[in-house]
Amino acid sequence: MNREKVQIFDTTLRDGEQVPGCKLDTSQKLVIANRLDEMGVDIIEAGFPVSSPGDFLSVTEISKIVKNATVCGLTRAVKNDIDVAAEALKYAKKPRIHTGIGTSESHIVHKLNTTREDVIARAKFAVSHAKSYVEDVEFYAEDAGRTDNEFLARVCEEAIKSGATVLNIPDTTGYCLPEEYGAKIKFLKENVKGIEKVILSCHCHNDLGMATANSISGAVNGARQIECTINGIGERAGNTALEEVVMIFKQHPYLNLYTDIDSKQLNEMSRLVSESMGMIVQPNKAIVGANAFAHSSGIHQDGVIKNRATYEIMDPLDVGVNESSIVLTARSGRAALAYRAKKVGYELSKVQLDVVYLEFLKFADIKKEVLDGDIHQIIEVCKIYNELIKN
């Protein structure tokens, strides 16, 4: 089977920046946008231009520097929003306006206080108006995850007729299960006239921890764009994590899906966004967390030392991490201690290792982690330091 590309739409600078306390200034956004472009992101959602003068400026300046990626600005289905976005994007080599409206009963009744027919009319106007400025128009059906599939198909069909090039099917509240979300994408592929003319896009939130799983399910069922953020940051519990999507496709080639992301830049990109936003990456975060390639259990350490693939399905180098970490704790075994001792210059015989290991366990019961400096101290306490030096 031929492999098919899934475009990566990065919304770190828009949805990601909506995290409380994570505001970036324009200079920081320019640095991140430049790095996203270098890493191979296909579309950079640079901001929501009408929301503030600062966001307008950021979208404008990002449009000027991005060389390869499409630059996208978000709008509501409001004429002024679209006008302002078009102005902010005027310097972009490849501009995209991202416009849309809520389609679930909850949004129609409680948020918009209107009718389904009015929602369709607003959607058609928004896409048509955006199309008068740019060729590339993405339409989002907000809360599509909780939208009735038949009505969602109607809205999508009208958006296509009005000129949409991409249809974004957001699970805005993170409610869907992977099977449900995948089935929704499949339903649209099979029931919307003109669907072959556009790209279906997944924009999934992580309220139930399903964002990445839902996005992958969407891609398996025909979506060819995934909207995501570095480190999975975003509203509430966050968005689909870019690094997870990239490595899932890389590690599961039988899916016949790929991205153009240079995965070796993932770890550094994660650090850049974390430091710029002041938002710590949880240590157990998949792919880029501090513990993603760290081993502290004796059983795991022994396996990894003998053959990395016993407990690691990815080569750390593939995501920009130099090597796996063997972390010494009270749960570590002799193999890990011997490995780390060798790293700092001690080649322990089996008899020596037995002596040092007993002292190591006493030390490890007191400290959470035994560091390289502690190994020197343990060996000196065991009175075998001179013996090791002679050897």
Side-chain angles (χ1 to χ4, degrees), residues 294-307:
H295 307 273
S296 64
S297 158
I299 295 172
H300 286 224
Q301 290 172 332
D302 182 49
V304 168
I305 290 166
K306 289 173 178 172
N307 187 316

Side-chain angles (χ1 to χ4, degrees), residues 105-115 118-119 122:
E105 282 302 298
S106 176
H107 278 237
I108 293 169
V109 174
H110 301 297
K111 178 182 171 184
L112 301 171
N113 192 26
T114 189
T115 64
D118 182 56
V119 162
R122 291 198 211 179

Side-chain angles (χ1 to χ4, degrees), residues 28-328:
Q28 290 173 311
K29 288 186 178 184
L30 287 170
V31 171
I32 292 172
N34 189 53
R35 291 299 305 279
L36 289 171
D37 196 29
E38 290 176 356
M39 192 170 69
V41 164
D42 298 286
I43 304 97
I44 298 171
E45 188 164 51
F48 186 1
V50 82
S51 65
S52 73
D55 231 32
F56 180 89
L57 175 64
S58 293
V59 175
T60 301
E61 294 305 310
I62 289 169
S63 295
K64 292 177 182 177
I65 67 159
V66 170
K67 298 180 179 67
N68 305 304
T70 294
V71 179
C72 179
L74 183 74
T75 81
R76 297 164 296 181
V78 174
K79 182 179 183 298
N80 186 57
D81 281 28
I82 296 166
D83 294 339
V84 171
E87 178 66 19
L89 291 165
K90 67 182 180 182
Y91 298 106
K93 289 183 179 179
K94 293 188 281 186
R96 176 184 293 182
I97 292 176
H98 189 188
T99 190
I101 192 168
T103 55
S104 68
E105 282 302 298
S106 176
H107 278 237
I108 293 169
V109 174
H110 301 297
K111 178 182 171 184
L112 301 171
N113 192 26
T114 189
T115 64
R116 286 186 167 192
E117 295 308 315
D118 182 56
V119 162
I120 291 175
R122 291 198 211 179
K124 290 168 64 177
F125 166 77
V127 173
S128 297
H129 191 55
K131 194 76 171 182
S132 71
Y133 285 113
V134 296
E135 180 57 35
D136 191 5
V137 177
E138 179 170 344
F139 172 76
Y140 64 84
E142 191 176 6
D143 205 18
R146 295 189 296 173
T147 299
D148 168 74
N149 283 351
E150 282 76 13
F151 178 63
L152 182 60
R154 279 185 63 200
V155 178
C156 288
E157 202 164 294
E158 293 301 326
I160 293 170
K161 288 179 186 176
S162 300
T165 51
V166 181
L167 297 178
N168 179 10
I169 312 300
D171 183 25
T172 307
T173 59
Y175 178 75
C176 289
L177 294 173
E179 295 83 357
E180 181 183 9
Y181 186 79
K184 189 176 288 285
I185 297 295
K186 187 172 187 288
F187 180 88
L188 296 175
K189 289 284 288 183
E190 294 174 351
N191 292 279
V192 174
K193 288 180 184 176
I195 197 74
E196 70 282 353
K197 301 174 186 175
V198 301
I199 294 171
L200 277 171
S201 181
C202 308
H203 181 110
C204 298
H205 281 261
N206 207 38
D207 299 68
L208 292 174
M210 295 288 184
T212 297
N214 282 336
S215 293
I216 297 300
S217 182
V220 167
N221 282 279
R224 288 297 176 263
Q225 177 178 288
I226 291 179
E227 308 194 4
C228 41
T229 60
I230 301 297
N231 299 331
I233 60 173
E235 286 274 2
R236 304 182 312 279
N239 290 36
T240 301
L242 182 150
E243 59 276 3
E244 294 172 11
V245 168
V246 170
M247 295 311 295
I248 286 169
F249 290 146
K250 197 177 182 77
Q251 296 304 121
H252 293 278
Y254 64 87
L255 293 175
N256 293 308
L257 301 172
Y258 71 95
T259 75
D260 282 339
I261 299 296
D262 177 6
S263 66
K264 289 182 171 63
Q265 296 188 41
L266 290 173
N267 189 59
E268 192 175 345
M269 192 74 223
S270 169
R271 300 291 168 263
L272 172 63
V273 171
S274 174
E275 289 166 10
S276 299
M277 290 190 165
M279 192 169 185
I280 296 169
V281 178
Q282 64 191 67
N284 63 322
K285 168 73 181 66
I287 317 298
V288 293
N291 293 344
F293 297 96
H295 307 273
S296 64
S297 158
I299 295 172
H300 286 224
Q301 290 172 332
D302 182 49
V304 168
I305 290 166
K306 289 173 178 172
N307 187 316
R308 184 186 57 76
T310 54
Y311 286 101
E312 287 184 0
I313 60 167
M314 292 172 283
D315 186 335
L317 291 172
D318 283 346
V319 299
V321 176
N322 290 332
E323 61 180 353
S324 307
S325 301
I326 299 297
V327 181
L328 293 180

